[in-house]
Amino acid sequence: MRTRIKEVVGVDWFDGAVMNCTFEGPLVRDILLAAGVGEEDGAMQRNVVPKHIHFANHGGKTQHDEWYGGSIPFARAMDLEMDVILAVKMNGLPLEARHGFPVRAIVPGVLGARSVKWLDSITVSDQESPCFYQQRDYKVLPPEVSDSKTAEGYWSRCPSMLEMPINACVAWPVSGSTIKLPASGFIEVLGYAVPQSSHGPVIRVQVSGDEGKTWSDAQLEHGGKYASKWTWVLWNARIKIEKGEGRRIFAKATDSGGYTQTEERSSWNLRGVAYNGYEAAFDLTVIEEVDRQAVTTRFDVARL
Ligand SMILES: Nc1nc2c(c(=O)[nH]1)N[C@H]1C(S)=C(S)[C@@H](COP(=O)(O)O)O[C@H]1N2
Ligand SMILES: [Mo]
């Protein structure tokens, strides 16, 4: 959003802020049920209508608060389809310290901010988490909110982010680079795509090298035994592109829920979040690939 539209108050994530690994641990649903939450009288005894589940770590200060926490709707935590777990293992090994050892929440399909690491408490509440990162960050503010001061009046009126939108990223070629165009006029493009939250897997990725006039279907790689509706797909495509400067590559994903990327660029918001425009690589310089064989041959003929 910053590079394509306008400066934001946010972090430069580029195309890499994505987590795709195997996590193991008990369902939050089972823990809540074991604690008596969800049984009607259990919740009523405590005089709270269970609407939100808070995850928290009180181990130390964060940049903007005294602690870290986030919450998700109670219904999502209880829904067996949503796979909300307390992970104790990542890729078959105990969590590393930096990834939340000994236990963290994992909320698939939802922005990483809710997957609280070094978890030390779970709270059932009728309100969302009071933490700064739930209340005053990770929100799509309206486009007219153009600075932090104006944002003050908006945070409490805007919903906190939950589900991540469908997206496709081009990993190769890299924006701003120079690429050599083979005589065929086609180049190979590589990337990944993620579905709209729980509506995976991604079933189609279309790629264009001519500003969207024509689209080629990419080949998808679903991840074999690790494939699930939550996993990304890796993709590769062969597209036609012309020589020149300022070339762009569009990549558009569609998932099994029918969600697709509809805009070349998403509309701007102050924090630069939830961007999923299909303009996936830009500022490419495409030059002719010099055919060394042909040059050598011509040279030899001239010498003769
Ligand atoms: N306790 C704690 N949990 C946290 C955070 C944090 O700062 N403190 N950051 C969150 C954010 S914003 C993200 S994107 C993920 C990152 O998880 P990872 O470090 O395993 O990639 O952790 C989340 N959980
Ligand atoms: Mo994050």
Side-chain angles (χ1 to χ4, degrees), residues 6 140-147 150 154 158 266-270:
K6 191 171 81 172
V140 179
L141 298 172
E144 63 269 23
V145 179
S146 57
D147 58 68
T150 317
Y154 281 84
C158 295
S266 305
S267 60
W268 185 90
N269 65 77
L270 184 67

Side-chain angles (χ1 to χ4, degrees), residues 19 57 68 98-99 104 112-113 115-118 138:
M19 174 152 68
N57 165 262
Y68 190 85
R98 65 186 176 139
H99 290 300
R104 74 177 300 174
S115 288
V116 176
K117 300 187 278 189
W118 316 290
Y138 302 107

Side-chain angles (χ1 to χ4, degrees), residues 2 37 132 148 155 256:
R2 180 180 72 72
V37 183
F132 177 95
S148 301
W155 290 116
S256 68

Side-chain angles (χ1 to χ4, degrees), residues 9-197:
V9 179
V11 183
D12 274 337
W13 291 119
F14 301 104
D15 292 333
V18 65
M19 174 152 68
N20 188 79
C21 31
T22 65
F23 286 104
E24 290 169 65
L27 287 166
V28 169
R29 173 195 158 88
D30 288 339
I31 290 159
L32 293 174
L33 289 174
V37 183
E39 293 157 29
E40 251 166 55
D41 58 336
M44 293 323 274
Q45 272 167 26
R46 293 170 185 85
N47 215 3
V48 168
V49 182
K51 285 196 183 154
H52 303 277
I53 298 295
H54 300 195
F55 301 115
N57 165 262
H58 298 89
K61 274 189 199 290
T62 47
Q63 195 176 4
H64 299 286
D65 211 329
E66 295 299 310
W67 56 296
Y68 190 85
S71 60
I72 59 166
F74 175 71
R76 191 174 189 106
M78 296 305 281
D79 187 343
L80 284 169
E81 293 289 305
M82 294 302 156
D83 294 333
V84 181
I85 64 166
L86 295 190
V88 292
K89 282 187 172 179
M90 180 172 138
N91 290 340
L93 297 169
L95 288 176
E96 281 174 41
R98 65 186 176 139
H99 290 300
F101 181 86
V103 59
R104 74 177 300 174
I106 286 291
V107 189
V110 164
L111 69 154
R114 313 295 180 236
S115 288
V116 176
K117 300 187 278 189
W118 316 290
L119 187 75
D120 62 26
S121 68
I122 299 178
T123 307
V124 182
S125 175
D126 55 359
Q127 309 282 319
E128 289 188 8
S129 168
C131 187
F132 177 95
Y133 298 96
Q134 184 81 27
Q135 300 288 339
R136 295 161 54 85
D137 199 354
Y138 302 107
K139 294 190 178 190
V140 179
L141 298 172
E144 63 269 23
V145 179
S146 57
D147 58 68
S148 301
K149 203 166 146 46
T150 317
E152 292 299 323
Y154 281 84
W155 290 116
S156 66
R157 290 191 269 142
C158 295
S160 49
M161 283 175 70
L162 188 69
E163 303 203 325
M164 289 301 278
I166 186 164
N167 214 343
C169 285
V170 165
W172 184 263
V174 179
S175 293
S177 65
T178 298
I179 46 177
K180 291 176 183 168
L181 185 66
S184 66
F186 284 86
I187 57 161
E188 195 183 20
V189 184
L190 306 172
Y192 75 85
V194 288
Q196 176 94 16
S197 195

